Amino acid sequence: MKNLKGKSVLVTGASKGIGSYIVNTLAKEGLNIICVARSEDELNKAKLKVEELGSSAHVFPFDLQNIRLIPELINDIRSEIGEIDILVNNAGIEMYRKYGDYSARELNSILSVNLHAPMELTRLLLPGMLDRGAGHVVNVASLAGCKGVAYNAIYSATKAGMIMWSEGLRQELKGTGVGVSTIKPGYISEAGMFHNSGQEAPKLLGTSPPQAVADAVIRAIKGNKAELIVNKGPIKPLLALNVFTPVFGDSLVRWFGVQELSAKRVT
Ligand SMILES: NC(=O)c1ccc[n+]([C@@H]2O[C@H](COP(=O)([O-])OP(=O)(O)OC[C@H]3O[C@@H](n4cnc5c(N)ncnc54)[C@H](OP(=O)(O)O)[C@@H]3O)[C@@H](O)[C@H]2O)c1
């Protein structure tokens, strides 16, 4: 989708972190933005910022764990604003635990917010996009979906699931005018869940700014990109190596200090 001006985009996780950068960057492109997250106050701040940037925004406070209420959310959005051209599934949560220490409720909430909600939102918005022969779904996954992370295994599973779901859907939708893109960020500085942890990223992996994720979202939509990695250094050769020898991949990750860092984030 080359010209984004005047299109409607629904962004989840629009209240803070990387989502704020995505929302502001989309606002500069002239999109009408539907902001979804739980915190109404933060969403209203996001709306003001979008308006300062010369675009329009609508706020829909919603807890994405409530999967069965998502059809109602979409109906409300449709009756107030109309059809959605672009969906950015950005909301996500992570909880660092020893695996046996997760409660069933925590397990379910990570699966719901990170994977089930994006799938359900897409299921509901896709038929409209297909009818119009145009649309785009951007899924903000993670490099943790390419190589599992200790003490964050459920999060890794949801991001791996998101990557494979996107891959299947992208092939299914080829030629329909509806694109599907996956963004895979590594550690992000300045804002967001890693920055908020107060930890330092392993030196050899480094961090990228949140604006790089927002720029990737725009590039993905305009260029109909399948997948974009946002990481400080080149990571593809290491990911390829891990496909051939996952146990060596485990050793490399330990050597980089990822496991030690993740252990410090266990709560
Ligand atoms: N930061 C990183 O280093 C990094 C790296 C790789 C991938 N990512 C991915 O980037 C995306 C954004 O993460 P971030 O770092 O910006 O995290 P963040 O600062 O914690 O923001 C998460 C966003 O998701 C929303 N959210 C969380 N639970 C929700 C729920 N139950 N219902 C509705 N909205 C909910 C939050 O809003 P409310 O709290 O107001 O609901 C917030 O807007 C996530 O998918 C994450 O997995 C981040």
Side-chain angles (χ1 to χ4, degrees), residues 13-18 37-39 62-65 90-93 113 140-142 155 159 185-188 192-194:
S15 60
K16 61 181 182 189
I18 295 170
R38 287 166 304 179
S39 159
F62 186 83
D63 186 339
L64 290 166
Q65 287 181 71
N90 163 70
I93 52 172
V113 176
V140 180
S142 169
Y155 174 84
K159 296 301 186 178
Y187 294 109
I188 299 299
M193 50 178 68
F194 174 68

Side-chain angles (χ1 to χ4, degrees), residues 136-143 145-146 159-171 179-185 212-213 215-217 219-221 223-231 235-236 239 243:
H136 208 96
V137 178
V138 182
N139 293 318
V140 180
S142 169
L143 283 175
C146 303
K159 296 301 186 178
M162 186 176 234
I163 292 165
M164 284 303 128
W165 162 60
S166 307
E167 199 170 293
L169 193 59
R170 186 178 72 238
Q171 294 172 77
V180 180
S181 304
T182 315
I183 314 292
K184 300 171 175 175
V213 182
D215 292 341
V217 169
R219 264 198 299 142
I221 303 168
N224 192 18
K225 301 286 183 198
E227 296 189 349
L228 291 173
I229 290 176
V230 181
N231 195 59
I235 199 87
K236 278 187 180 168
L239 295 176
V243 171

Side-chain angles (χ1 to χ4, degrees), residues 186-187 194 199-207 231-232 252-262 264-265:
Y187 294 109
F194 174 68
Q199 300 290 337
E200 272 198 30
K203 292 251 172 326
L204 288 167
L205 294 176
T207 58
N231 195 59
K232 183 146 186 263
L252 261 182
V253 161
R254 260 199 310 279
W255 182 67
F256 280 139
V258 174
Q259 190 155 340
E260 197 185 336
L261 167 64
S262 298
K264 284 191 208 154
R265 297 178 70 185

Side-chain angles (χ1 to χ4, degrees), residues 59-129:
V59 161
F60 287 85
F62 186 83
D63 186 339
L64 290 166
Q65 287 181 71
N66 295 324
I67 302 293
R68 61 184 182 81
L69 296 181
I70 293 180
E72 225 172 275
L73 168 74
I74 295 301
N75 279 340
D76 292 349
I77 293 173
R78 279 212 179 100
S79 43
E80 202 176 307
I81 291 136
E83 288 300 334
I84 308 292
D85 301 301
I86 300 164
L87 168 64
V88 181
N89 285 310
N90 163 70
I93 52 172
E94 61 177 0
M95 293 175 204
Y96 283 78
R97 303 264 190 282
K98 290 183 179 169
Y99 192 73
D101 290 347
Y102 282 104
S103 68
R105 198 194 170 104
E106 287 171 341
L107 193 160
N108 197 43
S109 66
I110 303 168
L111 293 179
S112 300
V113 176
N114 294 7
L115 190 57
H116 198 167
M119 286 177 164
E120 178 65 351
L121 285 164
T122 305
R123 188 183 73 79
L124 294 161
L125 293 177
L126 188 57
M129 293 180 187

Side-chain angles (χ1 to χ4, degrees), residues 33-49:
I33 304 169
I34 294 102
C35 301
V36 173
R38 287 166 304 179
S39 159
E40 190 165 4
D41 286 352
E42 295 304 314
L43 286 176
N44 282 325
K45 285 185 204 158
K47 177 178 157 74
L48 282 179
K49 181 71 188 169

